Amino acid sequence: SVINDPARKMITAEKNSDPYSGVEDNVSKSPITGMDQERAIPSDYLMYSKIIPSLMPVNSRFISQGFSKGNRMNDLFGNNPHLGYDIVAEEGAPVKAASDGWVVMADWLSDYGNTVILYHGFGYFSIYKHAQYLLCREGGFVKGGDIIATVGKTGQLATGTHLHFEIWKDGIPQDPSEYIPQFQDIIKVSTVRH
């Protein structure tokens, strides 16, 4: 008979010896479901917090131009969108990764000079333009705070020594001040040339 089957007795014995067999499953009884359940797990939260670009890329309290998406009406009047922050700093100052990520580009672009693009996961990218020197390589992994470049004034669109910094999420430019609190306290300086 099926009850006297030795294989079935072995499976029953293993199930009874499982230390977790009598433990209630609180996760399945939780009112939190689906993706929200994953977000509620502390280890995932800590991993996700390392992914979001949230570190100031340059030690500076000055910007020459802030973020503006612009629109078609602005473009008719010659005001182009500015999809990041121009952070004023001394030439050669270290540029740091805003969070952990993979270097998807570290190369020269004619308009922006030495440029680094990092992919952080979950659709987040950070972009660093006009660098004097690149200190990372394509395909490499960097930790948040690692030095990836130095501030410069390279590229045809550089108007002076600064870092142009952008954050993108799922192909849409983001205002970096929504991710990096230090941008709230930053001081805008004039870019008028004498």
Side-chain angles (χ1 to χ4, degrees):
S1 94
V2 175
I3 294 175
N4 292 329
D5 180 17
R8 186 170 182 89
K9 285 181 183 178
M10 187 184 307
I11 292 170
T12 304
E14 284 178 9
K15 186 174 181 184
N16 289 337
S17 67
D18 179 7
Y20 299 105
S21 63
V23 177
E24 286 189 30
D25 181 6
N26 291 328
V27 174
S28 63
K29 293 180 181 179
S30 170
I32 302 171
T33 58
M35 290 299 292
D36 292 331
Q37 200 171 51
E38 289 180 24
R39 289 188 193 112
I41 300 170
S43 62
D44 286 348
Y45 172 77
L46 293 173
M47 181 192 74
Y48 190 68
S49 68
K50 286 184 173 185
I51 289 169
I52 296 174
S54 58
L55 301 174
M56 190 70 172
V58 176
N59 290 334
S60 175
R61 299 208 47 203
F62 302 99
I63 62 165
S64 59
Q65 191 169 359
F67 177 86
S68 65
K69 274 191 179 177
N71 58 43
R72 288 179 189 259
M73 193 60 118
N74 282 345
D75 292 344
L76 292 175
F77 295 105
N79 296 321
N80 294 323
H82 191 256
L83 304 178
Y85 273 81
D86 286 347
I87 308 167
V88 179
E90 286 187 35
E91 191 166 11
V95 174
K96 300 172 187 173
S99 66
D100 294 0
W102 290 267
V103 181
V104 294
M105 192 191 104
D107 208 347
W108 176 268
L109 299 174
S110 62
D111 283 348
Y112 304 111
N114 287 319
T115 301
V116 174
I117 300 176
L118 301 180
Y119 176 65
H120 305 286
F122 291 96
Y124 284 102
F125 289 84
S126 59
I127 303 171
Y128 311 77
K129 298 177 179 177
H130 306 301
Q132 180 183 31
Y133 298 109
L134 301 176
L135 303 175
C136 59
R137 292 192 178 167
E138 286 181 22
F141 182 81
V142 295
K143 294 281 218 175
D146 284 355
I147 298 172
I148 57 172
T150 59
V151 173
K153 55 182 173 187
T154 59
Q156 295 173 4
L157 296 180
T159 56
T161 304
H162 72 284
L163 171 70
H164 176 85
F165 175 71
E166 300 176 10
I167 295 175
W168 289 65
K169 169 83 166 101
D170 297 328
I172 300 168
Q174 306 291 307
D175 183 346
S177 69
E178 294 177 11
Y179 296 89
I180 301 174
Q182 291 90 332
F183 279 118
Q184 303 296 329
D185 301 325
I186 226 155
I187 301 164
K188 186 167 183 179
V189 295
S190 172
T191 57
V192 177
R193 296 184 185 182
H194 298 282

